[in-house]
Amino acid sequence: MNRPRIVVEVNGGVVQAIYSDDPETTVALVDWDSEEAERTDPNLVTAAGADGREYLGFAGEVPADAWNAMPQETREAVQKVTSWKI
């Protein structure tokens, strides 16, 4: 079985979209840059690090968009650095 191919599109340090050639793909996203998040956000989590510090972050499931929803510029960038034919 082939592993799904996944493209994560980031702009301005923020995940804008996730694309996959497998329509069943769901990604668990964890963002540790969440200092500005509302403290009431249900996706705000804390976790203890190996260093003993408590980390604050955003975590949630993000379903991947279909491969054909990928913008042309993202498709072209991926094809320039991989052997993928999108």
Side-chain angles (χ1 to χ4, degrees):
M1 180 175 156
N2 290 335
R3 295 170 59 176
R5 296 178 299 168
I6 298 171
V7 174
V8 179
E9 186 174 16
V10 177
N11 191 350
V14 177
V15 173
Q16 299 296 320
I18 298 171
Y19 305 98
S20 176
D21 62 348
D22 178 350
E24 300 299 315
T25 301
T26 299
V27 175
L29 174 67
V30 179
D31 180 358
W32 294 115
D33 295 327
S34 300
E35 294 81 18
E36 304 292 320
E38 292 290 326
R39 300 292 181 200
T40 58
D41 188 320
N43 291 89
L44 200 61
V45 296
T46 58
D51 58 4
R53 289 181 44 205
E54 184 175 81
Y55 290 86
L56 177 67
F58 171 88
E61 284 186 59
V62 180
D65 292 325
W67 217 229
N68 62 1
M70 190 183 310
Q72 177 59 35
E73 62 273 16
T74 302
R75 180 184 317 269
E76 184 177 326
V78 170
Q79 291 181 143
K80 285 183 176 182
V81 297
T82 70
S83 61
W84 300 357
K85 302 298 179 224
I86 301 173

